[in-house]
Structures are given as C-alpha cells and as structure tokens.
Amino acid sequence: MDVLVVGGSGLLGREVVRQARSAGRRVAATFHRHPAAIEDVDWLPLDIRGRDDVAALVARVRPATVVNAAYRQSDWATTADGGMHVAAAAAATGARLVHVSSDAVFSGGAARYDESCPPDPITPYGAAKAAAETAARGLDPSAVIARTSLIIGGGESLHEQRAHALAAHFTDDVRCPVHVTDLAAALLELAASDHCGVHHVAGPDAVSRHELATLIARRDGLDETRLPRALRAETDLPGPLDVRLDCTLTQSRLTTRLRGAREFLARPAAR
C-alpha cells in the first residue's frame, strides 16, 4: 500500500485521500464511524485509542506513508494517546510518517511562531496536540510534524457552516487559515520529500474569525452585514486570542503554494 490516511473520513483526510488517488497511488484510509464516499479506497474501521488495534492494522496494511489527520478536540485519548499509537505503529513498520498538528500548541503570547518555537499550550486540546508531537518526534525522528491553522473547504468546514448560520464571530481571535486543497497537497509533498521535523503549513494572511466569516459570506453571496460581532476576551472560552504561524521556512521547501484566506476566498470576477 502506498498511503494510509488515518482519519480519512474527516475534512482534511478526505482531501488527502482524493489527491493521493488522483496521483495514482494505492490508498487505504481509516474511519471511526462512517467511511467517506470515495471509490477505489480500502476503507478500514479503526479507533486509534487502541494501541494494539493500530499496530495490527498498520502491520497488515504495510503502507509506505502514513498521514495522521485524526483528532478529537475534547478527547485526550484520541488526540494524544492515539497520535502516539499511530507514530509507534509507523515506526515499527518503517513507514514514512506525516503527523498533522495544530497552532493550538501555542499560547498566543508571541507576535509570530516559526518552526523553532517550542509549544506552550494553554488548553487541554493544545496540550494533547503538543504531547502527540513529542511522542511522534521521539518515536520517529524522521517524521514530519505539520502544524496548521483553521482549515477551510468548499463549504464543508465548520467555519463556513457557522458563517452561513450567521453565528457570532470574534473580532479579536486571529489565525492564519489554510485551504484544505493546499494543505493536503503540502502534506503529500512533504511525505515524498526527505524533510523531517516541524513544519508550519498555513496561509500567509492573519485574519480574525469575523473577517474570515465576512470573506466566506462575500464569496457565497451572503449579506455580510448580518454577521454578529463579538469579543472573545469578554467570554470565558479557553484558548489563545492571536496565533500567527510563520510558514516562511516550510513554504521555501514546497512547490505547493499556500494561499492566504483573502485570496482563496475572493469572489470570482464577474464576466
């Protein structure tokens, strides 16, 4: 098997599966509840919280590359332990590992974060992601750790759904969104390279969640003036306010161009 996508039924996992299949690769993908409707893929049920189950599946499939896009934000066992289980199984079989991490590993205390910045999480999810990174790097020093930010799709992402629902969006919560097609292409490119260690894979535009929702509304022909504004600082929601991933180093290693939200969400020019 060429590629095993763990978490293949999620937004990012599905796109990695599609692109790998389009490139003619043999693809297996795992799902927790339901497989995605993508043909010519070996769909395999898996709960990555089970170490022995993960090891047995990877040993049976024998993939050349494992892309781990699985997580559950409120579940340490899935995000941290599961990430460790996948890394251990990949290392045991000699598979090339690309582990998808998150900007949630940072507190937001720095102006920007490049690949040399150590994690300093302030939420349980961020701590789980940081723990998974540590496990992956310890078990397989040749692995790629790909930190990303808010992932936007063709209407499928939670952020797009919230914009369409006219939910309140924070004006003081800043991230560097990335389009799912760019992210998936970058992950597969990194998998095929000889690079290892931490890579930041996000868009160059730092935008607030409210600006992001506004861009989505404009693209989709919605009334952007109906989007409510809010301040995250005035809520008790945990998490950093402003996390900006510096992807300069990673972008210099890629032929895949990581577009910013203001570009990939721009409305098509009228003909």
Side-chain angles (χ1 to χ4, degrees):
M1 188 62 64
D2 297 324
V3 181
L4 171 65
V5 182
V6 178
S9 59
L11 175 64
L12 175 58
R14 293 195 304 271
E15 185 59 28
V16 174
V17 168
R18 290 189 191 103
Q19 292 192 23
R21 282 295 305 126
S22 295
R25 300 179 188 178
R26 297 173 302 153
V27 180
T30 73
F31 65 92
H32 185 56
R33 292 190 178 89
H34 306 288
I38 305 175
E39 297 181 349
D40 298 321
V41 175
D42 189 4
W43 287 101
L44 304 166
L46 179 67
D47 185 337
I48 63 173
R49 293 174 295 184
R51 183 187 184 101
D52 292 343
D53 293 338
V54 175
L57 184 145
V58 175
R60 184 174 76 252
V61 174
R62 305 295 298 187
T65 297
V66 175
V67 178
N68 182 16
Y71 75 97
R72 186 175 293 173
Q73 201 162 70
S74 60
D75 184 11
W76 177 279
T78 297
T79 303
D81 296 342
M84 176 181 65
H85 298 159
V86 173
T93 57
R96 169 71 159 158
L97 174 64
V98 177
H99 175 85
V100 181
S101 190
S102 167
D103 58 8
V105 302
F106 295 122
S107 68
R112 295 189 73 84
Y113 292 91
D114 65 21
E115 288 86 348
S116 68
C117 295
D120 61 341
I122 58 174
T123 65
Y125 174 61
K129 278 294 192 182
E133 285 189 11
T134 299
R137 295 180 73 182
L139 289 163
D140 185 359
S142 67
V144 170
I145 310 297
R147 293 177 183 145
T148 192
S149 189
L150 306 183
I151 304 174
I152 307 301
E156 300 175 282
S157 71
L158 175 62
H159 316 291
E160 291 160 288
Q161 293 169 10
R162 283 179 53 81
H164 278 252
L166 300 178
H169 289 80
F170 300 122
T171 58
D172 59 346
D173 187 331
V174 177
R175 298 293 187 274
C176 296
V178 65
H179 198 278
V180 68
T181 58
D182 298 349
L183 177 56
L187 295 178
L188 289 170
E189 185 177 345
L190 286 169
S193 75
D194 58 1
H195 297 302
C196 62
V198 175
H199 288 73
H200 285 182
V201 191
D205 295 340
V207 300
S208 71
R209 290 182 187 262
H210 187 271
E211 182 181 355
L212 178 62
T214 299
L215 291 168
I216 293 167
R218 288 175 185 168
R219 181 199 65 183
D220 296 345
L222 306 176
D223 183 359
E224 65 189 78
T225 64
R226 296 181 61 197
L227 289 168
R229 297 170 177 264
L231 289 173
R232 184 166 183 164
E234 294 180 351
T235 74
D236 57 0
L237 291 174
L241 288 180
D242 190 331
V243 180
R244 307 179 188 219
L245 294 183
D246 184 339
C247 303
T248 305
L249 174 62
T250 297
Q251 182 65 90
S252 72
R253 295 174 171 175
L254 295 172
T255 58
T256 300
R257 190 168 70 85
L258 301 169
R259 297 168 294 163
R262 298 185 184 100
E263 178 181 353
F264 65 70
L265 288 172
R267 295 182 66 178
R271 293 184 177 180

